Amino acid sequence: MATKSVGRRRRKARSPWARRIKTSLSLILLLGLAGATVLGVVMSIKLREAQARIGSLPDVMAEVSRNPSVIVSADNKVLYSVSSEYRQPVKFAEIPKIVIDATLAAEDKRFYEHPGVDYWAAARAAVANVRDLRTSQGGSTITMQVVKRVYTSTERSVGRKLDDVALAIAVERQLNKNQILELYLNQIYYGSGAYGIKSAADVYFSKPLDKLTVAEAALLARCVRRPSDENPFRSPKRAIENRNVVLGIMRDEGMIDAKTYDKAIHEPLRLNPRPPGTGARLIRAPHFVMAVLDDELKKRMPGLDLSRGGYRIETTLNTDLQEEAEKQIADLVRKNRSRKVNNGAFVLLDRDGRVLAMVGGVDFHKDQFNAVTQGRRQPGSSFKPFVYATALASGAIGPRDSISNDPYSLTDPVTGKVWSPKNSGGHTGGSVSVRSAIALSINIPAVRVMEKVGPSAVVAAARSVFGFHSELPAVMSLALGSGEVSPLEMAEGYSVFMLHGDRFEPFMIRRVIGPDGEVVKDFQPNIRRNVLSSEVASQMDSFLRVVVTNGTATKARVIDNARGKTGTTSDNKDAWFCGYTDELIGIGWVANPQRDGNRWTYEPMASSVFGGKVTIDAWVGVMKKAQAMFKDGSLRKRFDGKTEYVDMSVKDVVVEPPPIPDENPPPDEQDGFPDTVPPIGTTPPIGNEPPPDDPTRRTEPPPRENPPNGEGRRREEQTVSVEVCVDSGLRANRYCPETVTRKFAVGKEPKRTCNLHGTHR
């Protein structure tokens, strides 16, 4: 009896909690029922709406295809179109079983079992997303993907998802599974302009569908997930990984046996070296168009599906300049093939960052790799201006400083290896001005400046000031361009000097117009103000002008007010010229890439190939055309028809007098290590003076000392001309690398001979 009494007391003690739990469960159940009722009503309404919307789905799909999306240039020329005329439709009966199995394994294993919505997959995805606190998985079926391409937007919302569900159910009521799968396989985008499985097989493997291997079918099936990121041409390693995932699912689902699986995962990737025309028609500027599709639209308008038809993408490209750039790069490669130059790239931008021309390689049909946007190559000495600008901005050096040119060595404390950068021919000794070090691209002074400011500071400035996003090594050799960057990054970096401290962000799209004729998105220039002090930027601008007038880029003198920097890497594997005018920036690059199976290697070019001797020729050719178009007004018009002009006259900065021009300037620098400069023991021959519009041309400075007052005005008028060393101000000797003739009052001319140069060889 006592035990029963204790049990009753315990039950009574627990009863308040039990009642609360029961109440809570009842409330949850009621809310769930209410929610389910509301959801049911909403879905009932959406199902009726969906049934009314779909009409005849195949007719709707055909109508979408008959209204192409186009990408056009700034001068209204069609660059690219997506149209049914260029698709390769295929009947369901013609699609091999391995292609269907691979597609189901990759996208919708339960396709033949669910009614258009896979509730189990949706629930599994919801649990995973809650667990990961992000959208890590999706539950879309093949049917839902079909309706999303035609009827719903890319908006991510509960309402849009419910629309997808309702439309998918409605479609499944109208069409059978095979018809839906046929629509999917004919309309889905596989990347590289291929719409539909037949086009994809042709583009990637140059095969009819019935000749695809299991491995190839599995690779294509996964391309639709992220056609830009997982494009086999762009990311072959990633494509193989994805292919093997699909093959694993096919094996687990009994679609293939273990022997077939083992053979397929070891099958090498043999991509089509010359992809044909596809469901998307590339008409001109192919590297630029693919950059717009795979980079710009993805970054600025993720989820936009041009294959739905009716979109108009208006770009910044000028077709006249594009044709000129393509011609110049093709001619340059052809003329220098004997010197092992087999590829080149060029990008031209205006002062607002609009890409006016882009040549990502010499032959798009042979190689779709875009060296302008995707390439990461060492820039050599063309990176030095960022080192000097960082040092000037930090106060580590001054614009009139002299930098030691004595031999330099650095010992790695971990490995004990010694790094000793060299100048061309091994000539060292004395010191040189900052201006001369930049103009003649001497290596050792650049390394010493890097030591003064610190590699970490240069890397930080490269990212925050000059806009580089590539990973750069914080090492001393970065002073000579040992990091890897893209030409488009170099253009953004050089814009800081062009814009006197501001920086543009390159862009390729002006605006996007939707199927209804309304502007979906309008893009404006993005100028980051005051990233570098205007004083430092203007000083660097004047130094880069001297590179053209008297340094390693004298071939660019024919372009009005040109400034820039040359760069040629170790073993002549890359040759650059990065230059600009008041209105335009152009970045040129040449190299000798060689294909070895599925990988590319970069082999040395001839020892006579330099940025200032070869690459600069294409730069000059394009700039001549562009400057002529600016002068006749055709490039000054804004896209809204108004005239655009910004006064960018060179700011008045104090600079050293220019060095004596050299009629036969030295070959361009070789920046990985050797760097060609005039031997220290010679004086450059006197040549033409800088042109009148040279911003570095200044009135000769007055003598260092004023004439004695006792001699009066008669003595002031009596002068003598003396050749002096720019660095020391004393009488030049035969070893001074940079001299200038100055007038002095009689008796006040330098008496001593320069002692900075000649003691070292």
Side-chain angles (χ1 to χ4, degrees):
M1 291 295 293
T3 302
K4 290 181 180 180
S5 177
V6 170
R8 281 195 297 271
R9 286 196 299 271
R10 288 178 177 173
R11 284 195 296 273
K12 289 180 180 178
R14 288 199 301 265
S15 59
W17 288 105
R19 285 196 298 272
R20 290 174 187 170
I21 292 172
K22 287 180 180 179
T23 302
S24 298
L25 289 174
S26 299
L27 182 60
I28 291 172
L29 182 60
L30 287 172
L31 289 174
L33 289 171
T37 301
V38 172
L39 182 61
V41 172
V42 171
M43 283 305 301
S44 177
I45 295 171
K46 286 191 174 290
L47 280 169
R48 286 198 300 271
E49 293 174 348
Q51 199 66 47
R53 288 178 66 188
I54 63 169
S56 176
L57 184 61
D59 292 342
V60 174
M61 296 289 277
E63 182 62 30
V64 170
S65 296
R66 281 197 294 269
N67 294 295
S69 293
V70 294
I71 296 178
V72 300
S73 65
D75 48 344
N76 205 31
K77 304 286 181 61
V78 177
L79 308 176
Y80 168 94
S81 69
V82 183
S83 171
S84 59
E85 295 176 79
Y86 307 108
R87 295 179 187 270
Q88 299 186 63
V90 60
K91 297 296 184 183
F92 182 81
E94 301 170 9
I95 304 173
K97 186 175 184 301
I98 59 166
V99 172
I100 293 173
D101 287 346
T103 300
L104 298 182
E107 293 299 310
D108 192 353
K109 293 184 297 183
R110 289 166 38 83
F111 174 70
Y112 281 98
E113 301 170 21
H114 62 66
V117 181
D118 190 342
Y119 299 105
W120 286 110
R124 184 172 61 250
V127 171
N129 295 338
V130 171
R131 180 193 63 216
D132 298 339
L133 297 178
R134 62 186 179 89
T135 307
S136 59
Q137 293 187 22
S140 291
T141 64
I142 284 176
T143 312
M144 292 171 70
Q145 291 181 52
V146 168
V147 300
K148 183 163 58 177
R149 285 174 54 77
V150 180
Y151 295 108
T152 61
S153 67
T154 57
E155 174 195 0
R156 293 188 175 185
S157 66
V158 174
R160 199 225 72 192
K161 201 69 175 177
L162 292 177
D163 286 338
D164 288 349
V165 170
L167 286 164
I169 293 172
V171 167
E172 293 259 354
R173 291 174 179 175
Q174 184 180 110
L175 304 178
N176 64 40
K177 290 287 188 180
N178 291 352
Q179 288 174 317
I180 295 169
L181 194 54
E182 180 183 314
L183 281 171
Y184 175 84
L185 289 171
N186 275 315
Q187 297 294 333
I188 203 71
Y189 182 53
Y190 287 84
S192 294
Y195 289 85
I197 187 65
K198 188 174 181 179
S199 294
D202 196 18
V203 167
Y204 290 114
F205 300 114
S206 188
K207 287 183 175 183
L209 286 175
D210 59 358
K211 299 298 182 183
L212 289 176
T213 66
V214 173
E216 290 167 345
L219 183 143
L220 292 179
R222 193 59 182 266
C223 284
V224 302
R225 288 281 182 95
R226 296 180 181 87
S228 296
D229 293 343
E230 300 177 4
N231 184 316
F233 288 130
R234 299 185 62 168
S235 307
K237 182 179 178 181
R238 180 65 175 161
I240 290 173
E241 292 172 354
N242 290 333
R243 175 198 72 181
N244 292 344
V245 169
V246 176
L247 289 170
I249 297 172
M250 295 177 72
R251 178 198 57 193
D252 295 343
E253 294 295 319
M255 298 173 178
I256 58 175
D257 57 28
K259 182 178 179 180
T260 303
Y261 169 79
D262 290 337
K263 180 182 178 182
I265 63 170
H266 292 101
E267 182 177 305
L269 182 60
R270 299 185 183 92
L271 294 174
N272 181 8
R274 298 184 68 85
T278 65
R281 188 184 180 196
L282 269 172
I283 300 170
R284 46 171 67 91
H287 284 109
F288 175 83
V289 168
M290 297 314 293
V292 168
L293 289 170
D294 293 342
D295 298 326
E296 287 288 285
L297 283 175
K298 176 188 168 186
K299 177 176 69 175
R300 300 177 184 273
M301 297 185 70
L304 180 67
D305 184 6
L306 295 184
S307 68
R308 296 178 63 185
Y311 286 95
R312 178 183 172 89
I313 313 299
E314 298 182 348
T315 71
T316 61
L317 188 102
N318 180 280
T319 55
D320 288 339
L321 291 176
Q322 176 67 23
E323 289 172 4
E324 184 66 28
E326 290 174 357
K327 176 182 178 298
Q328 290 293 334
I329 290 297
D331 289 349
L332 191 71
V333 170
R334 186 182 66 255
K335 292 175 183 176
N336 292 280
R337 282 196 186 279
S338 61
R339 296 200 274 180
K340 299 182 180 179
V341 176
N342 73 2
N343 201 9
F346 191 87
V347 62
L348 179 71
L349 306 93
D350 71 5
R351 60 181 302 104
D352 286 329
R354 299 182 184 93
V355 176
L356 303 179
M358 177 186 290
V359 182
V362 75
D363 188 348
F364 179 80
H365 294 292
K366 180 180 178 181
D367 180 15
Q368 292 78 46
F369 184 80
N370 189 338
V372 170
T373 58
Q374 299 171 265
R376 294 291 185 275
R377 300 297 300 162
Q378 291 185 351
S381 279
S382 59
F383 192 81
K384 287 177 182 175
F386 308 120
V387 178
Y388 282 101
T390 304
L392 288 168
S394 69
I397 61 170
R400 289 180 173 273
D401 283 0
S402 292
I403 311 297
S404 171
N405 193 36
D406 287 337
Y408 180 94
S409 293
L410 180 68
T411 302
D412 189 315
V414 178
T415 64
K417 292 183 179 180
V418 178
W419 177 58
S420 300
K422 305 295 183 185
N423 295 330
S424 176
H427 298 288
T428 58
S431 60
V432 294
S433 64
V434 172
R435 181 175 53 114
S436 295
I438 295 173
L440 301 178
S441 198
I442 309 175
N443 279 343
I444 291 177
V447 173
R448 291 189 180 278
V449 169
M450 173 67 90
E451 186 176 52
K452 286 174 179 289
V453 70
S456 295
V458 171
V459 170
R463 184 172 297 276
S464 62
V465 176
F466 299 106
F468 287 90
H469 48 81
S470 293
E471 292 295 327
L472 296 173
V475 295
M476 290 293 292
S477 62
L478 183 61
L480 307 183
S482 64
E484 295 183 343
V485 298
S486 74
L488 200 60
E489 287 179 296
M490 293 294 280
E492 184 170 353
Y494 272 79
S495 74
V496 176
F497 307 131
M498 175 194 192
L499 301 179
H500 296 272
D502 297 339
R503 187 183 83 232
F504 65 51
E505 180 183 342
F507 68 105
M508 307 176 205
I509 302 174
R510 294 163 48 202
R511 60 181 183 172
V512 176
I513 300 174
D516 57 0
E518 296 295 323
V519 175
V520 177
K521 195 159 188 177
D522 191 13
F523 298 93
Q524 297 297 324
N526 182 14
I527 308 295
R528 298 180 182 274
R529 304 294 181 186
N530 303 316
V531 295
L532 182 69
S533 79
S534 60
E535 182 180 0
V536 171
S538 297
Q539 186 68 62
M540 287 301 304
D541 179 77
S542 70
F543 290 156
L544 295 174
R545 175 63 178 160
V546 179
V547 174
V548 173
T549 58
N550 306 100
T552 58
T554 54
K555 275 192 170 185
R557 286 174 177 173
V558 296
I559 302 301
D560 293 344
N561 210 18
R563 290 90 92 192
K565 186 70 186 73
T566 52
T568 309
T569 61
S570 181
D571 298 325
N572 295 82
K573 289 186 176 181
D574 303 85
W576 298 67
F577 182 64
C578 305
Y580 60 93
T581 65
D582 290 342
E583 298 286 353
L584 301 161
I585 285 184
I587 307 295
W589 166 88
V590 298
N592 182 26
Q594 299 290 332
R595 191 163 192 160
D596 181 13
N598 289 326
R599 60 188 293 268
W600 289 87
T601 61
Y602 286 81
E603 301 300 325
M605 296 175 286
S607 59
S608 59
V609 176
F610 299 100
K613 294 298 182 183
V614 174
T615 317
I616 199 170
D617 289 342
W619 187 91
V620 168
V622 178
M623 283 295 181
K624 278 184 178 178
K625 174 81 171 180
Q627 283 201 332
M629 292 177 70
F630 259 106
K631 287 178 180 178
D632 68 22
S634 58
L635 279 183
R636 290 185 185 275
K637 293 179 180 178
R638 292 180 64 97
F639 296 119
D640 58 8
K642 297 179 182 178
T643 300
E644 175 184 42
Y645 179 73
V646 180
D647 182 11
M648 283 300 295
S649 55
V650 177
K651 297 182 180 180
D652 187 18
V653 295
V654 178
V655 297
E656 300 174 58
I660 301 299
D662 184 356
E663 286 287 356
N664 299 295
D668 192 4
E669 68 286 359
Q670 193 176 35
D671 313 296
F673 294 100
D675 187 310
T676 302
V677 295
I680 295 297
T682 62
T683 301
I686 295 176
N688 296 325
E689 290 294 322
D693 64 344
D694 183 353
T696 64
R697 186 183 179 93
R698 294 289 184 269
T699 304
E700 292 289 347
R704 293 179 182 272
E705 299 179 29
N706 293 323
N709 293 331
E711 295 292 333
R713 296 185 184 276
R714 274 188 310 107
R715 189 66 180 272
E716 287 182 10
E717 296 173 358
Q718 298 176 7
T719 61
V720 61
S721 296
V722 178
E723 185 181 9
V724 299
C725 173
V726 169
D727 295 326
S728 68
L730 303 177
R731 285 180 177 269
N733 64 46
R734 60 185 297 227
Y735 300 111
C736 294
E738 187 178 353
T739 66
V740 64
T741 300
R742 292 176 178 166
K743 291 182 179 181
F744 295 89
V746 173
K748 296 302 179 181
E749 67 274 16
K751 300 297 191 297
R752 291 188 298 121
T753 301
C754 174
N755 55 8
L756 290 179
H757 307 112
T759 57
H760 298 278
R761 295 296 302 276

